[in-house]
């Protein structure tokens, strides 16, 4: 059985500490993230001090669009949910904030990456703290601190086996994703039904909030292809050829899916930072539950097609790393490594001081010395900047393989 409470509100969110801090010294705070990831639950805990408004309410939305400045001027402190639905509201907020810069006046949420929308980014620049809330992380579900990055940097892994009463079944954990509503469903079939309805809503409504798409009917196909290719090198021409779109249009549409927090491009790592801009990125989904729904991967199918699960597991790790870095005040660079000799590392994390951590993902309960081949190559290329190399695996014990190389249970993530 899945370890999910009846009410997903009971999961404490790690972002809450940063949100409280921002409200103490910034006039407006924006919590960005995908629909249904828990943004409203997070911000409504402040409803006792601030009035709550949702722009999903059609009548309110129409009023705000008709007179955005009049609406904002009547507010002292307010929570405004789904602000991407009324971009003109942001200019009004700018004017009001410039007249009264008291901290914690406005708490905003958006289901699109608003900073990627030029008209909104210009309005908010210098006046707002931007925080990103992604679906529930494994550490939030386990109700424990998000300490993977600090442990990786110091190589401070508990050497004893995991003492959790019940180690979460890896397949179930990955395929269930991180959306609270999806995890509430009792069976895999019900969870995938929720995911399909969720994606349909995004395509039918939310895309139109942020962009004009001429060929909206092609988006479901594009999403399905992106799910099949999650974790692979991005080839825009190849994708376009399968659905009758040119590479430029595919690039534009993937950019829109990125704004909706469905997918992310993962750039290539190189010691020459300029070359990162031209090397081929990988494409990853942000949530393994959505990705596995689109690829029709079920727990039963995992038993007979373990290779397909490997790609979804890598997607899950990608999402967990994004959640981890969204909590880190430092600007870490997340990428992948691949050289001309086909040496690869699934994920490379680089700190602002150029400290390099490499992570490989293995959907197996054992680790061999050969599993560190790519990490050893990265260690050689990065030189003294290389800190730690990790093979994440489905075991219960952290094991040292010497010289900064570790096999670490996926559960530690």
């Amino acid at each position: 059985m899945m370890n999910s409470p009846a009410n997903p509100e009971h999961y404490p969110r790690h972002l809450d500490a940063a949100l409280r801090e921002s409200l103490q010294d910034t006039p407006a705070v924006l919590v960005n993230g995908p629909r249904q990831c828990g943004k409203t639950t997070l911000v409504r805990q402040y409803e006792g001090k601030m009035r709550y408004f949702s722009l999903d309410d059609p009548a309110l939305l129409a009023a705000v669009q008709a007179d955005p400045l009049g609406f904002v001027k009547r507010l002292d402190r307010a929570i405004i949910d789904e602000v991407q639905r009324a971009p003109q509201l942001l200019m009004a907020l700018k004017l009001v904030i410039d007249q009264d810069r008291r901290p914690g006046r406005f708490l905003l949420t958006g289901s699109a990456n608003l900073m990627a929308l030029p008209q909104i980014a210009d309005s908010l620049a210098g006046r707002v703290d931007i925080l990103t809330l992604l679906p529930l992380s494994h550490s939030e579900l386990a109700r424990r601190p998000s300490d993977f990055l600090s442990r990786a940097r110091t190589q401070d892994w508990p050497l004893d086996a995991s003492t959790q009463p019940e180690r979460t079944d890896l397949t179930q954990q990955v395929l269930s994703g991180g959306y609270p509503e999806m995890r509430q469903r009792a069976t895999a079939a019900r969870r995938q039904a929720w995911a399909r309805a969720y994606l349909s809503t995004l395509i039918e409504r939310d895309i139109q909030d942020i962009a004009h798409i001429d060929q909206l009917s092609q988006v479901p196909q594009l999403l399905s292809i992106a799910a099949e290719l999650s974790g692979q090198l991005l080839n825009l021409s190849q994708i376009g050829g399968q659905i009758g779109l040119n590479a430029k249009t595919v690039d534009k549409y993937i950019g829109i899916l990125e704004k909706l927090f469905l997918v992310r491009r993962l750039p290539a790592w190189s010691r020459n930072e300029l070359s990162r801009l031209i090397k081929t990125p990988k494409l990853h989904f942000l949530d393994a539950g959505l990705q596995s729904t689109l690829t029709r991967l079920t727990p039963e199918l995992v038993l007979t097609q373990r290779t397909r699960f490997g790609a979804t597991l890598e997607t899950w790790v990608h999402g967990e790393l994004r959640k981890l870095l969204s909590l880190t005040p430092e600007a870490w660079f997340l990428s992948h490594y691949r050289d001309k000799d086909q040496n690869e590392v699934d994920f490379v994390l680089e700190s602002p001081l150029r400290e390099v951590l490499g992570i490989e993902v293995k959907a197996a309960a054992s680790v061999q010395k050969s599993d560190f081949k790519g990490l050893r190559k990265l260690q050689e290329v990065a030189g003294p900047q290389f800190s730690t190399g990790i093979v994440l695996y489905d075991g219960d014990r952290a094991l040292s393989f010497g010289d900064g190389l570790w096999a670490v249970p996926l559960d530690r993530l």
Side-chain angles (χ1 to χ4, degrees):
M1 292 293 292
M2 214 164 82
N3 183 25
S4 293
N7 190 340
E9 292 181 23
H10 294 165
Y11 286 123
R13 303 307 299 265
H14 292 151
L15 192 69
D16 190 39
L19 176 55
R20 292 178 185 276
E21 187 177 8
S22 293
L23 288 170
Q24 296 299 313
D25 58 18
T26 309
V29 180
L30 168 66
V31 180
N32 242 358
R35 276 195 180 275
Q36 299 291 320
C37 73
K39 299 187 303 298
T40 300
T41 299
L42 177 63
V43 301
R44 291 198 77 162
Q45 66 182 316
Y46 298 93
E47 199 171 350
K49 300 177 181 178
M50 312 168 79
R51 293 185 64 189
Y52 174 80
F53 301 91
S54 173
L55 297 188
D56 274 340
D57 178 340
L60 177 63
L61 177 61
V64 170
Q65 290 173 331
D67 184 15
L69 186 57
F71 170 73
V72 174
K73 278 188 171 182
R74 291 190 293 270
L75 304 176
D76 181 50
R77 296 179 184 272
I79 301 166
I80 306 176
D81 221 344
E82 304 297 353
V83 293
Q84 82 283 347
R85 307 212 70 197
Q88 59 270 53
L89 183 63
L90 278 302
M91 184 56 72
L93 283 168
K94 171 184 180 294
L95 294 173
V96 170
I97 289 171
D98 286 347
Q99 293 169 4
D100 181 354
R101 298 186 69 90
R102 281 177 295 149
R105 288 196 66 197
F106 297 103
L107 178 51
L108 316 173
T109 79
S111 292
N113 186 351
L114 299 181
M115 292 303 97
L117 306 176
Q119 73 274 24
I120 293 178
D122 291 345
S123 302
L124 294 177
R127 298 168 181 85
V128 65
D129 260 3
I130 303 161
L131 306 175
T132 299
L133 184 72
L134 295 173
L136 288 161
S137 68
H138 181 57
S139 55
E140 287 172 329
L141 288 163
R143 303 178 187 279
R144 66 181 187 222
S146 178
D147 61 357
F148 177 82
L149 185 58
S150 61
R151 286 187 178 277
R153 298 177 80 176
T154 59
Q155 301 180 27
D156 178 26
W157 304 111
L159 296 181
D160 55 328
S162 174
T163 56
Q164 287 185 252
E166 292 182 27
R167 292 186 67 242
T168 305
D169 176 75
L170 180 65
T171 301
Q172 185 168 263
Q173 174 70 12
V174 169
L175 300 189
S176 298
Y179 286 89
E181 287 290 332
M182 184 174 176
R183 296 189 66 89
Q184 276 192 290
R185 302 304 189 263
T187 66
R190 292 296 301 140
R191 289 191 286 273
Q192 293 204 348
W194 181 93
R196 287 191 294 271
Y198 174 83
L199 291 168
S200 294
T201 299
L202 286 187
I203 293 167
E204 292 167 7
R205 186 181 72 171
D206 287 28
I207 284 179
Q208 302 303 329
D209 283 341
I210 64 171
H212 176 70
I213 291 187
D214 296 323
Q215 295 165 290
L216 192 62
S217 62
Q218 303 291 74
V219 173
Q221 288 179 282
L222 176 60
L223 265 176
S224 294
I225 292 171
E228 293 286 354
L229 298 177
S230 188
Q232 298 185 32
L233 294 175
L234 178 59
N235 186 324
L236 298 171
S237 298
Q238 179 189 36
I239 294 173
Q242 296 181 59
I243 54 177
L245 298 175
N246 61 45
K248 185 176 180 180
T249 301
V250 173
D251 185 49
K252 173 188 172 183
Y253 286 11
I254 288 177
I256 292 167
L257 299 179
E258 288 184 293
K259 291 181 180 70
L260 291 172
F261 297 97
L262 288 174
V263 302
R264 283 290 295 271
R265 286 174 240 228
L266 185 70
W269 183 87
S270 168
R271 293 201 62 170
N272 181 344
E273 297 192 21
L274 284 177
S275 71
R276 300 177 186 180
L277 300 175
I278 58 174
K279 284 180 174 286
T280 305
K282 287 184 176 182
L283 185 68
H284 267 292
F285 257 68
L286 272 171
D287 184 77
L290 297 184
Q291 188 266 353
S292 60
T293 295
L294 287 166
T295 59
R296 298 191 297 159
L297 184 62
T298 63
E300 295 76 19
L301 201 57
V302 168
L303 296 175
T304 58
Q305 298 189 20
R306 195 70 179 176
T307 301
R308 290 184 62 188
F309 178 66
T312 299
L313 179 62
E314 189 177 330
T315 294
W316 181 78
V317 172
H318 169 259
E320 292 298 308
L321 293 175
R322 293 285 184 192
K323 295 166 192 174
L324 183 70
L325 296 183
S326 73
L327 301 171
T328 307
E330 302 170 296
W332 283 72
F333 180 74
L334 181 62
S335 58
H336 72 93
Y337 175 76
R338 179 186 174 99
D339 64 20
K340 58 180 175 27
D341 297 320
Q342 310 303 310
N343 293 302
E344 296 188 63
V345 175
D346 295 327
F347 302 103
V348 181
L349 290 81
E350 185 180 80
S351 77
L353 297 178
R354 304 305 185 262
E355 173 189 3
V356 174
L357 284 72
I359 296 176
E360 270 286 297
V361 182
K362 185 176 182 184
S366 62
V367 179
Q368 309 297 326
K369 184 178 179 180
S370 58
D371 294 322
F372 290 86
K373 177 186 175 184
L375 289 166
R376 292 186 188 280
K377 183 62 179 181
L378 176 64
Q379 185 177 38
E380 177 186 325
V381 173
Q385 294 174 324
F386 185 87
S387 169
T388 309
I390 296 168
V391 173
L392 289 172
Y393 78 116
D394 189 22
D396 62 358
R397 189 186 299 272
L399 303 169
S400 171
F401 277 72
D403 201 18
L405 302 177
W406 289 83
V408 176
L410 282 148
D411 191 61
R412 298 291 181 191
L413 184 58

